[in-house]
Amino acid sequence: MNEPKNDLGAIETAKLQDKKKGSTTSALELGAAWMRGQIIPLGEASIPVNDWGLVRSDITYDVVPVINGGFFRLSNYIDRFIASMKGLKLEPQLSKNAIENALLEMVGASGLRNSYVTMVCSRGIPIIPGSRDPRECENYFYAWCVPYIHVIKPEVIARGASALISVSVKRIDESSFDPTIKNYHWGDFTRGLYEAKEQNYDTALLVDHKNCLTEGPGFNIFVVKNGKLMTPIKGVLQGITRQTVLEIAESLQISTEVREITKQEVLDADEIFLSTSAGGVMPLVRVNSTIYSNGKPGNISEKIRKKYWDWTELSCYRTLIDYSD
């Protein structure tokens, strides 16, 4: 498969609009949720206002893409989700197979062939009212899906995406929270986004307290210099798309290195691109005042971006969804 020429989310939205004209749109196609064994419209899903997942952000999640009717690397995403639950001592009493089946049934019921699918485990509410002991909460799993989402919209990538290295905020230190556990602690990312958007950048990149590159809101970061592909080793989520990029680079015989990358190395790079489940590989053409590749995506970025979409169609990485019901 070549990279879709259109926004996958826009494709789903267009389909829904066409169905609305015929008054046959299912509520699930606008977004579906799996909660306590039931599949319901996303607009009807809810959690208690005193859930510790909400009031304490004591929660973990993961996001897996559905592309052209199949999950991409579903097993890898669920494995990471299970590792995150273990890291936070969350036990929803569901096996890997049960989680996979819940996701397959939910997306199948939604009819979405291109989707952004989220699995979540929350701490829940104390079984003993008033308890302050996290061990006394009833943990639970839920999931939801919507039409495919892009961290940076395709039309922005096409015109040339930009990012600001945040000055006002540093990435939360890994001694305070393990960045390999996917989480909703987005205070640093949100502050960085405000800073970037207010200066007319499309997104933000965060560095740590040593001014070494980490990640951004919803994505890992890659730097290309002299034909070598590099990505940060610390302060980052071990992204599945990040791992896919590293594997693609190996298949293309592109040298890679996972190590600390200074802010100055970012600004001195030949190319920069982002990797995420919500959009794949996304080249940047500007970071701060530095313009890369004459304002166009670089050759290595483009090779890897196109190959990513090819890989989403490989049978070894796909879990097909049954839409027959």
Side-chain angles (χ1 to χ4, degrees), residues 58-62 81 84-85 88 90 119-121 181-182:
D58 195 356
I59 193 166
T60 190
Y61 77 108
D62 220 303
F81 178 57
S84 291
M85 289 191 290
L88 293 182
L90 292 167
M119 54 192 121
V120 188
C121 186
I181 296 174
K182 200 166 177 70

Side-chain angles (χ1 to χ4, degrees), residues 61-122:
Y61 77 108
D62 220 303
V63 174
V64 54
V66 168
I67 309 229
N68 291 338
F71 282 99
F72 180 57
R73 304 195 76 153
L74 177 59
S75 181
N76 298 111
Y77 281 98
I78 296 178
D79 283 343
R80 185 176 65 180
F81 178 57
I82 290 171
S84 291
M85 289 191 290
K86 183 177 180 180
L88 293 182
K89 300 185 185 300
L90 292 167
E91 298 178 0
Q93 307 301 317
L94 282 177
S95 67
K96 178 179 179 179
N97 187 61
I99 293 171
E100 179 174 325
N101 286 339
L103 299 181
L104 285 166
E105 291 171 7
M106 177 183 66
V107 179
S110 77
L112 293 171
R113 299 189 63 82
N114 297 295
S115 182
Y116 176 97
V117 183
T118 301
M119 54 192 121
V120 188
C121 186
S122 178

Side-chain angles (χ1 to χ4, degrees), residues 25 38 42 78 119 144 155 194 207 230 272 290 296:
T25 303
Q38 301 295 315
L42 184 59
I78 296 178
M119 54 192 121
W144 54 273
E155 59 266 28
Y194 265 102
V207 295
M230 297 167 282
I272 301 284
T290 300
K296 296 180 180 179

Side-chain angles (χ1 to χ4, degrees), residues 71 73 171 185 203 274:
F71 282 99
R73 304 195 76 153
R171 184 73 175 106
H185 301 178
T203 193
L274 316 176

Side-chain angles (χ1 to χ4, degrees), residues 57-299:
S57 198
D58 195 356
I59 193 166
T60 190
Y61 77 108
D62 220 303
V63 174
V64 54
V66 168
I67 309 229
N68 291 338
F71 282 99
F72 180 57
R73 304 195 76 153
L74 177 59
S75 181
N76 298 111
Y77 281 98
I78 296 178
D79 283 343
R80 185 176 65 180
F81 178 57
I82 290 171
S84 291
M85 289 191 290
K86 183 177 180 180
L88 293 182
K89 300 185 185 300
L90 292 167
E91 298 178 0
Q93 307 301 317
L94 282 177
S95 67
K96 178 179 179 179
N97 187 61
I99 293 171
E100 179 174 325
N101 286 339
L103 299 181
L104 285 166
E105 291 171 7
M106 177 183 66
V107 179
S110 77
L112 293 171
R113 299 189 63 82
N114 297 295
S115 182
Y116 176 97
V117 183
T118 301
M119 54 192 121
V120 188
C121 186
S122 178
R123 184 69 64 192
I125 298 169
I127 298 170
I128 303 172
S131 172
R132 308 286 285 182
D133 189 337
R135 297 171 299 176
E136 295 175 350
C137 290
E138 183 180 7
N139 312 156
Y140 67 100
F141 167 87
Y142 64 94
W144 54 273
C145 64
V146 293
Y148 191 86
I149 291 172
H150 291 263
V151 167
I152 301 178
K153 293 185 179 300
E155 59 266 28
V156 176
I157 296 295
R159 68 154 167 80
S162 63
L164 177 72
I165 299 176
S166 178
V167 175
S168 68
V169 59
K170 304 291 187 183
R171 184 73 175 106
I172 186 171
D173 192 83
E174 59 185 13
S175 64
S176 297
F177 193 88
D178 183 354
T180 66
I181 296 174
K182 200 166 177 70
N183 62 83
Y184 286 140
H185 301 178
W186 268 48
D188 50 357
F189 288 146
T190 301
R191 283 179 59 194
L193 276 171
Y194 265 102
E195 182 182 4
K197 297 290 187 179
E198 287 170 354
Q199 297 183 50
N200 295 316
Y201 289 87
D202 297 307
T203 193
L205 312 182
L206 269 60
V207 295
D208 61 19
H209 290 275
K210 297 193 300 181
N211 268 341
C212 288
L213 185 65
T214 59
E215 56 188 354
F219 53 79
N220 290 115
I221 308 166
F222 283 85
V223 174
V224 179
K225 184 67 175 180
N226 297 328
K228 178 177 284 188
L229 183 64
M230 297 167 282
T231 195
I233 191 171
K234 297 181 68 177
V236 301
L237 181 73
Q238 304 298 305
I240 305 302
T241 310
R242 172 181 180 266
Q243 182 60 37
T244 301
V245 167
L246 291 170
E247 292 171 3
I248 288 172
E250 182 179 3
S251 75
L252 296 174
Q253 298 184 319
I254 297 170
S255 177
T256 63
E257 194 172 1
V258 181
R259 64 168 175 83
E260 288 189 336
I261 300 170
T262 67
K263 176 180 177 179
Q264 191 57 49
E265 284 181 295
V266 176
L267 300 177
D268 291 340
D270 298 325
E271 303 176 37
I272 301 284
F273 66 85
L274 316 176
S275 66
T276 171
S277 304
V281 172
M282 303 182 300
L284 298 178
V285 301
R286 181 164 67 100
V287 173
N288 293 5
S289 61
T290 300
I291 297 175
Y292 305 94
S293 303
N294 295 317
K296 296 180 180 179
N299 291 332

